[in-house]
Amino acid sequence: MKKVLVAGAALLIVGSMVSAASAEVSLSGDARVRYVGTSDYVRNISVNPNGTLNEDKNGYADNWNSRIRVKFHAKANGGAFMKARLRLDDVKWGTEGSENEGWSMWKNGKNVWADYAFIGVPMGPVTFTGGVQEASYSKFFEYDQRPGRAKLEYKTDNLRLIGLIDMIDENATSVQDQFDDNDLMAYGFVAAFQINDDWSIKGYARYRDDQMDWDSEDSVRYVSADSNDPGNATAGFIAVTDTTRTPHVDTSGFLGSIHAQGKVAMVGLEGELAYKEADVQGTQDDGWGWYVNASMDMGAFIPSVMIGGTYDGYQADDDFGFIMIGAAEPITVIREVGTEAGDSFFAALMANYAVSDQFKLAANLVYYDIDINEDSEEGIPDVRGAVDAWEISGSATYVISEGADLSYKLGYLDPSYDGRVNSAGISDDGYFGQYLRMQIKF
């Protein structure tokens, strides 16, 4: 562990020295500390196939957490570059050990790790990048992913064409698949076109190529180190790893999205249509979803309206949404917009107001309806019903100084259950969450 800390500190020191000596190497990043509190729920509850939104939970739970991220960008004289980001100590305080074990948050050996790291080589209008890369097409389809990817990108003033190959799973624990090279791969193409100063459109098509035959799962059991006395706990134990192989369920298929964004006079418009084949989702039917958002720029005040839906098991990326529904917030109740067991519809009124250059407010009023369909997934027979929920949420952000701000977010989710979906008698009490965050960017 000391070696990890020393190596991490040395890397940061060397990086800062090189940055000072050369304009071709730079450091940047962000850091935060958060207080999070939730009432009558635990963060990130999925609407499971039988339709129950949550179990009964009473009481208030809170925690503190923090994270530091440092970006490295190095550029060779010929234009080739390297980009990487280190995450330091991304933890919930007090969860890595007890106070009697000293620096408990540093115990797990993963207090510093690479969030992404890749190289890039420009060749005229084409750039090759390879490594573990940050991938963000849209929050509704796919966002903030970290694939091992080889990518070629062609770029002009108003056009981007991207071809990519992702290695999803080598399945190295399965001997048969390893030697037969039965991997899980993905091949994709992205095209983005800037139509004019106001409008842009982009599309993403990907084929998921699943050639794996087996799934392998490791389990650890402990046996006595003393073969003459296997029941003697004082003799010590040896960890034995057992590997279980089961036939792999094919997940090959197409998925894709079309996204458009622009404005007409003072009205900003954004919309998307996304699709995933059934085997990719693990459902009986192909899934799809859509949304449209309209906003009006009135200077300090920007109101907006959003409507959308998901069908036949489509689920948006967990970064899409609001505060209590989606958006990957620390107080989010429903993890993804959409459910693998059916359809959903959502509508939202949102508003942003800049009180001043330093102080900004935001508010959301969201209606979310989930319909659980009987035939949406195999192995879940005779389940029908609906879950309706209203979200009221808001935030306030104050800029303390350049690069430092304080934010407060809170939300209330009021669910109601209909039909057989609540046969277990789940409480429909509301959920309240809040968090306070101090953040810096450098």
Side-chain angles (χ1 to χ4, degrees), residues 171-187:
N171 201 24
T173 57
S174 175
V175 175
Q176 287 80 359
D177 282 343
Q178 185 178 10
F179 282 95
D180 290 338
D181 201 29
N182 294 340
D183 302 325
L184 177 56
M185 307 279 294
Y187 308 93

Side-chain angles (χ1 to χ4, degrees), residues 390-402:
W390 286 91
E391 171 184 331
I392 301 175
S393 58
S395 66
T397 301
Y398 182 76
V399 177
I400 300 172
S401 60
E402 184 176 356

Side-chain angles (χ1 to χ4, degrees), residues 32 55 62 81 88 144 180 227 232 261 274 385 418:
R32 72 185 183 201
E55 300 174 356
D62 61 358
F81 60 89
L88 292 82
D144 201 25
D180 290 338
S227 59
N232 183 5
Q261 185 172 359
D418 183 30

Side-chain angles (χ1 to χ4, degrees), residues 224-231 235:
S224 174
D226 186 352
S227 59
N228 296 320
D229 187 12

Side-chain angles (χ1 to χ4, degrees), residues 7-8 53 79 88 177 206 252 320 355 401 405 414 432 441:
L53 183 65
L88 292 82
D177 282 343
R206 185 167 81 231
S252 298
F320 178 84
V355 180
S401 60
D405 63 67
D414 182 27
F432 171 78
K441 295 182 180 180

Side-chain angles (χ1 to χ4, degrees), residues 222-369:
Y222 295 89
V223 298
S224 174
D226 186 352
S227 59
N228 296 320
D229 187 12
N232 183 5
T234 61
F237 291 86
I238 298 174
V240 177
T241 301
D242 297 319
T243 300
T244 303
R245 292 193 309 123
T246 56
H248 179 71
V249 177
D250 186 22
T251 62
S252 298
F254 287 94
L255 58 160
S257 169
I258 298 176
H259 178 276
Q261 185 172 359
K263 64 179 181 179
V264 177
M266 297 173 57
V267 179
L269 298 172
E270 181 179 2
E272 189 166 354
L273 178 66
Y275 167 84
K276 293 181 182 179
E277 274 199 277
D279 287 344
V280 175
Q281 296 186 139
T283 57
Q284 281 190 330
D285 300 318
D286 298 343
W288 64 284
W290 66 278
Y291 80 92
V292 175
N293 183 73
S295 61
M296 180 171 289
D297 189 347
M298 303 172 64
F301 180 58
I302 303 177
S304 60
V305 178
M306 178 187 291
I307 60 171
T310 67
Y311 308 92
D312 297 321
Y314 181 87
Q315 291 180 290
D317 188 281
D318 63 2
D319 281 287
F320 178 84
F322 310 96
I323 290 181
M324 306 298 278
I325 301 170
E329 295 284 9
I331 57 174
T332 296
V333 177
I334 301 175
R335 184 182 295 115
E336 297 101 358
V337 173
T339 171
E340 63 180 8
D343 308 330
S344 76
F345 173 80
F346 55 93
L349 296 175
M350 299 168 287
N352 290 276
Y353 180 61
V355 180
S356 66
D357 291 339
Q358 288 184 287
F359 187 39
K360 296 180 180 180
L361 302 173
N364 305 306
L365 175 62
V366 186
Y367 172 73
Y368 184 49
D369 173 78

